[in-house]
Amino acid sequence: MGYNIFETVNLKQSFRKKLKSFVATLGSAITRGNKISFADNDISYVSNEQYNIRRKITRDGKKLFEDNKRSSMYATITDVISGVHPDDEVCSCPNCGSVSTIAGLQDGCPFCGTRYKMSDLFPKVTGYYFIEDVSLAGDEGKRIMRKFMIGAVIAILLFALIVEFFVFKDQHARGEEFNFGLLLAPLFLIPIGIAVGYFAYSFYLIFRTIAVGSRQSAGKWGAIGSRGSFEKRMKAIFPDFSFEYFTSKAISLIKTAVYAPNEQELLFYRGDALAPEFKDIIDLNYGAALGLADFKEEDGRVIVSTDAFFDVLYDTDGKIRSRKEKYRAVFIRRTDIPIDMRFSMTKIQCPTCGGSFNAVQNRICPFCGQSYDIESQDWILSKLYRE
Ligand SMILES: [Zn+2]
Ligand SMILES: [Zn+2]
């Protein structure tokens, strides 16, 4: 197959600056909900430097979970080739007339609070994920190697002691010729233990590389096998279709539904309530590839079933568990509404009371309680479950 999903590009200097600011703000965005800076480039995968991802979960000052993994970050950056880049364009709020920038109006007008439905502001980082590094380097590798060596030395000394007491039991019982040479045994046994520990560590590294590597490529192949035909059929319906952008959207809808206090209030979610264990999830990291399980076209809609691998952190009654899981998600989109990457902005207004609010996060008007259920113009998530 001609696809290399790990293809990376070199960034232009100006883009590198923006990507740096995205990376710099990512940690605080995840832990404290702060804003993420956007970066930009052509539609592509970008591999950045390696990062140590440290996760620490505490409650009432008590540590419940901690890990620290060396990972590479992959970011998808999407841009429109023919579109405009209006982020910093100055505009007056259509409602109150206050002057602000278009990017500034994304989370509602800072002066009157009016919400606008905007198509995405390109270019922007539309997705990112981390891939755990297979190799062990630096302190982690040394720490594990030391454990193997100490373990092997202890095992060999114990074995020698057992031999001494059980095999030569009879000689000891008769009080015969205590073998003083045995006192020198550790001099030989400790270096042997260290060597055996080193060999065991080497084998451990080989098995680890095979295990982690195959787990990661299992995700990749699923996507590559079915991607070509899916992309072709989607492009026939929607000429602007981009697989990278669809993947970003799909992952973002899955995450939003999982993290939402009530997914059924989300504008894009039309399905049964999620299984209760989804609400125990406190961290969800996409594991590199979106596989296509099924694709059909019926009644003027496309229905796409996807499989995605995630690194999941659960908090079940105060117990933290880390799991690797595969989720099946079904997405639906009307075929009569074209994908429009050009920028557009419309005011969101409750048809009953005229109030303006974030309809993406809340389908119920917070002012009058009326349900605001305009048909979504984009992908809808209709099913999400653990495979
Ligand atoms: Zn305003
Ligand atoms: Zn209302």
Side-chain angles (χ1 to χ4, degrees):
M1 300 296 295
Y3 291 106
N4 173 10
I5 66 164
F6 291 111
E7 192 177 356
T8 60
V9 297
N10 287 318
L11 290 177
K12 287 176 219 159
Q13 192 56 40
S14 60
F15 292 160
R16 182 164 286 283
K17 232 171 71 191
K18 280 200 172 180
L19 183 63
K20 262 195 176 152
S21 93
F22 167 79
V23 171
T25 50
L26 190 58
S28 70
I30 291 167
T31 52
R32 289 190 288 278
N34 295 345
K35 284 203 85 171
I36 294 183
S37 294
F38 286 163
D40 51 358
N41 196 23
D42 305 316
I43 297 172
S44 48
Y45 276 98
V46 179
S47 169
N48 217 42
E49 300 90 48
Q50 289 177 326
Y51 297 92
N52 272 315
I53 313 290
R54 179 179 297 148
R55 299 189 293 185
K56 190 173 174 184
I57 292 161
T58 55
R59 184 173 293 132
D60 306 327
K62 215 182 101 197
K63 191 175 81 186
L64 298 176
F65 177 89
E66 189 173 23
D67 66 0
N68 186 1
K69 286 176 180 162
R70 216 165 58 110
S71 308
S72 296
M73 189 185 88
Y74 291 81
T76 311
I77 297 166
T78 305
D79 193 5
V80 283
I81 290 141
S82 55
V84 287
H85 300 124
D87 297 55
D88 299 326
E89 261 171 41
V90 175
C91 74
S92 311
C93 167
N95 188 56
C96 70
S98 299
V99 175
S100 138
T101 60
I102 289 188
L105 285 178
Q106 256 193 329
D107 299 312
C109 170
F111 302 99
C112 69
T114 302
R115 291 277 176 173
Y116 296 93
K117 184 175 182 293
M118 294 190 189
S119 51
D120 288 316
L121 282 172
F122 295 105
K124 68 179 211 169
V125 174
T126 51
Y128 68 91
Y129 56 84
F130 295 99
I131 294 189
E132 189 186 337
D133 244 308
V134 176
S135 60
L136 285 171
D139 290 345
E140 201 193 357
K142 276 187 209 148
R143 198 171 44 79
I144 294 175
M145 187 165 81
R146 213 175 302 133
K147 276 188 186 166
F148 267 96
M149 288 175 172
I150 293 171
V153 168
I154 291 173
I156 284 192
L157 288 177
L158 271 176
F159 180 72
L161 254 150
I162 289 166
V163 169
E164 169 68 21
F165 275 103
F166 291 94
V167 180
F168 300 109
K169 195 166 58 185
D170 296 343
Q171 280 101 314
H172 288 311
R174 289 196 296 272
E176 282 172 7
E177 18 173 288
F178 183 77
N179 191 350
F180 284 98
L182 278 174
L183 290 176
L184 297 172
L187 280 182
F188 303 104
L189 293 180
I190 288 172
I192 290 172
I194 288 172
V196 169
Y198 182 77
F199 276 116
Y201 173 71
S202 308
F203 274 108
Y204 164 78
L205 280 190
I206 291 166
F207 282 113
R208 191 189 133 85
T209 305
I210 293 168
V212 178
S214 65
R215 199 169 63 217
Q216 285 172 355
S217 56
K220 276 182 244 165
W221 302 128
I224 290 163
S226 43
R227 176 179 163 168
S229 55
F230 172 66
E231 211 168 16
K232 222 159 137 191
R233 285 178 68 182
M234 288 303 288
K235 270 195 188 292
I237 307 168
F238 309 109
D240 278 338
F241 181 81
S242 143
F243 187 82
E244 274 81 15
Y245 191 54
F246 169 75
T247 302
S248 310
K249 192 128 224 167
I251 300 307
S252 137
L253 296 188
I254 290 172
K255 284 186 165 183
T256 310
V258 167
Y259 290 143
N262 180 2
E263 64 283 352
Q264 291 184 306
E265 284 181 0
L266 298 171
L267 194 60
F268 66 83
Y269 186 78
R270 304 285 158 81
D272 298 332
L274 295 182
E277 60 264 27
F278 274 108
K279 297 302 160 190
D280 290 343
I281 293 174
I282 52 172
D283 195 22
L284 190 64
N285 289 298
Y286 171 52
L290 191 75
L292 288 153
D294 192 34
F295 171 87
K296 42 177 198 251
E297 226 186 299
E298 56 182 38
D299 306 328
R301 303 180 309 163
V302 283
I303 301 160
V304 187
S305 299
T306 62
D307 287 330
F309 294 85
F310 287 94
D311 250 312
V312 195
L313 211 57
Y314 283 96
D315 176 355
T316 314
D317 303 323
K319 231 185 93 201
I320 311 289
R321 290 174 298 148
S322 172
R323 289 267 177 90
K324 294 208 187 296
E325 292 183 327
K326 187 175 157 191
Y327 293 157
R328 168 71 53 89
V330 181
F331 298 94
I332 298 175
R333 199 187 195 284
R334 284 167 57 172
T335 50
D336 60 331
I337 297 173
I339 291 173
D340 188 4
M341 306 282 253
R342 275 166 312 174
F343 182 71
S344 75
M345 187 171 108
T346 48
K347 184 174 166 183
I348 292 173
Q349 201 166 20
C350 168
T352 312
C353 74
S356 186
F357 58 97
N358 187 346
V360 177
Q361 294 293 333
N362 195 352
R363 219 193 288 169
I364 313 289
C365 170
F367 304 106
C368 71
Q370 216 20 264
S371 171
Y372 175 84
D373 206 11
I374 51 153
E375 176 121 7
S376 174
Q377 311 265 300
D378 207 350
W379 290 100
I380 280 171
L381 177 60
S382 74
K383 257 183 208 157
L384 179 64
Y385 55 92
R386 200 156 58 192
E387 276 272 88

